[in-house]
């Protein structure tokens, strides 16, 4: 998603190593914002991306093993997922963002998480700031989490405060169930950043001219 509110996403796309680059092509080269499944894959080939077999022997064996019980039970911080969310601000204060994921592992065929849904896994409004999410995507979709955080910043909250409120909204919808992880990060027009999560163990990185800093995020639950 760029500073002008242009955005692109691909979902349920197989055989392409870098879907984030295909998402960018959707934004830049099509009148659409989302392409899914075979249509997304076909578009990727048309744009010059190569067909790649992403199934390793190791993950195939792990999947065969999982099928013996077929239990979907994400374990906090090692939930078999891998989202990378990035928010960037340039010297003129222009903001853009991106996120990419394989999604939760061992899910139902056809399941779509939050990451490709603009407003859920990622949102940027260049007048205000940007936010992105990781964790159990269903919960982020239910609160339109990243959009919510940007809107909270529009109302005057700092990125840190907005991320905390975003997590609290999810907690409020899950009073009896907190055995899952969500992490949000956010940035505002001044370049101020924040991050917050449900369970300890979520760390985000900030990159500036001075170098790289790892920021262990504060969490709603303390242990
Ligand atoms: N949010 C992703 C999903 O639900 C998982 C992740 O954060 O890695 O698919």
């Amino acid at each position: 998603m760029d500073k002008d509110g242009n955005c692109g996403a691909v979902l349920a796309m197989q055989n392409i190593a870098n879907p984030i680059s295909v998402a960018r092509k959707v934004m830049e080269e099509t009148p659409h914002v989302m392409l899914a499944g075979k249509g997304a894959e076909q578009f990727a080939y048309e744009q010059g991306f190569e067909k790649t077999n992403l199934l390793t022997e190791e993950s195939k064996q792990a999947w065969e093993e999982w099928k013996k019980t077929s239990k979907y039970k994400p374990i906090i911080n090692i939930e078999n997922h891998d989202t990378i969310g990035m928010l960037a601000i340039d010297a003129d204060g222009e903001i853009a963002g991106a996120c990419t994921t394989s999604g939760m592992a061992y899910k139902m065929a056809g399941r779509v998480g939050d990451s490709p849904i603009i407003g859920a896994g990622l949102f940027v409004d260049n007048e205000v700031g940007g936010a992105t999410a990781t964790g159990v995507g269903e919960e982020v979709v239910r609160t339109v989490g990243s959009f919510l955080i940007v809107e909270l910043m529009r109302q005057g909250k700092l990125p840190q405060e907005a991320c905390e409120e975003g997590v609290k909204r999810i907690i409020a919808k899950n009073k009896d169930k907190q055995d899952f992880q969500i992490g949000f990060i956010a940035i505002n027009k001044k370049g101020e950043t924040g991050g917050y999560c449900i369970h300890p163990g979520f760390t985000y990185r900030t990159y500036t001219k001075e170098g790289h800093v790892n920021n262990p995020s504060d969490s709603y639950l303390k242990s």
Side-chain angles (χ1 to χ4, degrees):
M1 193 161 191
D2 72 9
K3 68 181 174 55
D4 299 315
N6 299 310
C7 49
V10 289
L11 49 143
M13 184 179 69
Q14 296 184 314
N15 301 317
I16 301 290
N18 299 114
I20 194 168
S21 301
V22 186
R24 185 178 189 136
K25 291 283 184 193
V26 172
M27 177 177 85
E28 291 175 344
E29 307 292 341
T30 83
H32 306 307
V33 294
M34 272 191 202
L35 291 177
K38 287 287 166 208
E41 191 177 336
Q42 182 59 38
F43 171 71
Y45 299 142
E46 284 163 17
Q47 291 294 317
F49 292 84
E50 276 175 21
K51 183 168 186 163
T52 311
N53 180 9
L54 302 171
L55 184 62
T56 62
E57 198 46 45
E58 198 187 358
S59 53
K60 189 174 174 192
Q61 274 173 20
W63 177 61
E64 297 287 358
E65 191 56 35
W66 173 79
K67 277 202 295 184
K68 290 179 188 162
T69 54
S70 297
K71 279 213 179 87
Y72 179 65
K73 227 179 165 195
I75 301 164
I76 292 152
N77 291 331
I78 50 161
E79 291 138 324
N80 286 310
H81 64 95
D82 59 0
T83 300
I84 300 170
M86 291 151 283
L87 302 168
I89 186 166
D90 70 11
D92 298 325
E94 313 276 31
I95 297 172
C99 69
T100 184
T101 190
S102 290
M104 310 293 289
Y106 310 129
K107 59 212 166 197
M108 290 177 70
R111 179 264 188 187
V112 174
D114 58 322
S115 305
I117 310 292
I118 304 296
L122 173 79
F123 194 70
V124 173
D125 183 327
N126 196 35
E127 282 181 16
V128 179
T132 185
T134 186
V136 176
E138 282 73 5
E139 300 304 330
V140 179
V141 171
R142 289 172 75 201
T143 53
V144 201
S146 295
F147 179 76
L148 170 67
I149 286 171
V150 172
E151 287 304 298
L152 289 166
M153 290 193 288
R154 191 193 304 279
Q155 290 164 25
K157 287 202 185 317
L158 291 169
Q160 182 61 33
E161 295 167 339
C163 288
E164 291 178 18
E165 177 63 22
V167 164
K168 284 174 191 160
R169 295 279 179 102
I170 290 175
I171 294 290
K173 284 197 176 358
N174 288 280
K175 292 208 176 61
D176 305 324
K177 184 172 132 300
Q178 292 174 355
D179 57 346
F180 62 93
Q181 176 68 306
I182 299 288
F184 284 116
I185 58 171
I187 191 167
N188 66 11
K189 270 312 250 187
K190 291 186 193 157
E192 294 163 323
T193 59
Y196 200 62
C197 55
I198 299 179
H199 293 267
F202 171 59
T203 298
Y204 62 98
R205 212 151 210 243
T206 42
Y207 299 72
T208 62
K209 272 185 282 189
E210 282 71 51
H212 302 178
V213 180
N214 268 347
N215 308 285
S217 160
D218 195 7
S219 53
Y220 178 80
L221 298 171
K222 300 301 174 200
S223 61

